[in-house]
Amino acid sequence: MRRPCIEIDVEKIKHNANCLVKQCGEKGIEIMGVTKGVCAYLPVVQAMLEGGVKKLGDSRMQNIMALRKAGVENPIYLIRIPMISEVQDVVYYADGSLNSEIDVIKALAREAKKLGKVHKVILMVDVGDLREGVMPEDVLDVVGEILKLEGIEFEGLGTNVGCYGAILPSYENTKILVDLAANIEKKYGIKVRTISGGNTATLSLVERGKLPEGVNQLRVGEGILLGTDTTHNFRKVPGTVQDTMKLKTEIIEVKVKPSYPIGEIGRDAFGNVPVYEDRGPMRRAIVALGKQDCRIEGLKPINGRIEILGASSDHMILDVTKCPEIKVGDIVEFGVDYAAMLSLMTSGYVEKVVIR
Ligand SMILES: *Cc1c(COP(=O)(O)O)cnc(C)c1O
């Protein structure tokens, strides 16, 4: 097995998917399984499907195309609002997409007509996080425009909070969607089929019984993949397990060295001016992994006696003073958060390993 590698326990991911599909299903909420955090790595996607997820969502067309090539036939949605330049692929490979720009939706309509397809559109509403979405006061007009288009099915409304602006989901900001949907139904005499109320962060509203009546979909990545909710201070999502994956790295040097560097301090390879604390001589280990592969801040050594000191592009330095047994060639394991997982899964230098 090559190293570094990320070891993924797909049974645990299946458990998490099943747990959330059941918990939410009882309340009439479907789970769209969001696969971007693992670059739609097929064994993980299969685990989600085995866990009962029916619809998938990903932010990247390359991932969606790979899933189709692998034979996945479930509905898949593009959950990053599309680029105009990719609408042809979007309509061909995805069943639907989240959208916020009428010009893009018109382009999707033209492609859909050309291909003899109907593309589903979920209109995103910005309820305060200030990432994607139409402002609430503009929603009725935009829906009117969408309803005129051939080749497009207006499926419903969606919103996203947490990911960019760190705004937490609340009864009030999620209720905006439900109220808008009611207004749309009244004004246009249609049924708004899907109200896609949020992501992992919104699970906390479901647990507390604070999710507004009418929301019938959540798009969940992190909660399934890691069983955590970063936006609510990395809390554990009830019923899920957390140790779904771990990173394994190999030690390439172990030496006792000073803890304070010798010489004039300039900037490191990433332009930062480092700050050091002189803790006297220290047993330091280097593992073959760096910032090119991983967001180091998101790693946590599984052995609590090891501390991460820092990293350059290809080397990560550990304080192993409390681990006299550690030697060159040993494996050091780490837990990962969402950001670390994302970077590791994206790196072509990190081996992906499935365990059962
Ligand atoms: C990433 C993303 C999600 C999933 O977020 P998690 O926090 O991983 O559950 C849902 N919706 C959109 C639009 C996203 O970009």
Side-chain angles (χ1 to χ4, degrees):
M1 187 192 302
R2 281 182 168 279
R3 281 184 282 271
C5 67
I6 180 160
E7 228 178 51
I8 307 169
D9 187 332
V10 288
E11 286 301 321
K12 287 179 177 164
I13 289 170
K14 178 175 157 185
H15 165 87
N16 287 354
N18 192 245
C19 160
L20 296 176
V21 165
K22 278 198 181 131
Q23 275 179 25
C24 292
E26 279 166 15
K27 299 181 176 172
I29 304 157
E30 81 173 338
I31 299 286
M32 177 186 284
V34 174
T35 55
K36 67 188 183 195
V38 291
C39 306
Y41 183 54
L42 193 61
V44 173
V45 177
Q46 280 161 343
M48 280 189 182
L49 296 174
E50 285 168 22
V53 164
K54 298 275 186 298
K55 274 184 193 165
L56 298 169
D58 202 287
S59 54
R60 311 277 171 156
M61 273 320 300
Q62 291 97 323
N63 292 348
I64 293 174
M65 287 153 76
L67 288 175
R68 288 297 186 224
K69 290 209 175 87
V72 174
E73 288 178 352
N74 298 64
I76 308 181
Y77 284 67
L78 179 65
I79 62 167
R80 178 172 68 188
I81 51 176
M83 297 184 263
I84 286 195
S85 60
E86 66 184 346
V87 292
Q88 192 174 359
D89 286 338
V90 177
V91 171
Y92 189 79
Y93 292 102
D95 297 85
S97 54
L98 310 186
N99 283 275
S100 68
E101 287 286 357
I102 193 66
D103 286 344
V104 176
I105 301 170
K106 284 178 179 165
L108 289 165
R110 281 194 294 275
E111 275 311 315
K113 265 181 75 181
K114 243 192 257 170
L115 293 172
K117 287 190 157 200
V118 175
H119 186 75
K120 297 186 170 73
V121 163
I122 294 182
L123 183 66
M124 294 301 276
V125 182
D126 195 324
V127 300
D129 196 57
L130 306 186
R131 203 178 72 178
E132 77 276 46
V134 173
M135 295 308 280
E137 58 271 26
D138 300 325
V139 167
L140 275 181
D141 287 347
V142 177
V143 170
E145 291 290 300
I146 297 172
L147 291 174
K148 290 182 203 153
L149 300 173
E150 266 178 71
I152 296 291
E153 175 189 331
F154 170 69
E155 182 183 332
L157 298 178
T159 195
N160 197 68
V161 297
C163 293
Y164 168 71
I167 294 302
L168 293 174
S170 64
Y171 178 85
E172 291 72 24
N173 62 20
T174 311
K175 180 79 162 40
I176 294 172
L177 280 193
V178 180
D179 292 343
L180 285 168
N183 291 343
I184 290 166
E185 294 190 345
K186 201 158 67 196
K187 176 157 183 189
Y188 297 110
I190 57 165
K191 175 96 188 88
V192 177
R193 279 194 17 234
T194 301
I195 302 184
S196 190
N199 53 38
T200 295
T202 308
L203 290 169
S204 65
L205 295 184
V206 180
E207 293 154 27
R208 288 181 280 139
K210 290 274 164 62
L211 189 74
E213 188 78 27
V215 173
N216 60 6
Q217 181 184 85
L218 294 180
R219 306 173 308 272
V220 178
E222 184 186 359
I224 296 175
L225 299 170
L226 294 170
T228 53
D229 171 4
T230 300
T231 53
H232 290 91
N233 206 16
F234 300 97
R235 79 183 184 111
K236 297 176 179 172
V237 176
T240 63
V241 294
Q242 283 70 49
D243 51 347
T244 54
M245 37 189 109
K246 62 184 172 195
L247 168 69
K248 290 186 165 182
T249 63
E250 181 173 327
I251 297 184
I252 52 177
E253 180 187 295
V254 187
K255 293 189 193 306
V256 176
K257 295 186 184 181
S259 47
Y260 198 86
I262 304 143
E264 191 187 347
I265 295 178
R267 288 182 185 272
D268 69 15
F270 287 77
N272 305 307
V273 180
V275 182
Y276 299 99
E277 185 194 341
D278 192 350
R279 295 191 236 166
M282 185 189 263
R283 204 155 174 272
R284 297 159 73 95
I286 302 177
V287 295
L289 174 95
K291 290 184 180 174
Q292 185 167 6
D293 311 296
C294 184
R295 192 182 134 88
I296 303 295
E297 295 78 7
L299 294 179
K300 195 174 166 195
I302 290 173
N303 178 344
R305 291 173 298 146
I306 296 176
E307 195 192 323
I308 299 174
L309 293 169
S312 57
S313 306
D314 308 305
H315 304 74
M316 179 162 70
I317 326 291
L318 309 174
D319 178 357
V320 296
T321 309
K322 293 181 189 150
C323 306
E325 73 284 2
I326 279 185
K327 58 181 189 313
V328 163
D330 282 359
I331 306 301
V332 185
E333 298 183 340
F334 300 86
V336 299
D337 71 4
Y338 190 87
M341 169 184 71
L342 186 64
S343 51
L344 290 164
M345 293 303 294
T346 306
S347 173
Y349 301 102
V350 177
E351 191 93 345
K352 284 81 188 172
V353 179
V354 172
I355 56 165
R356 288 209 175 247

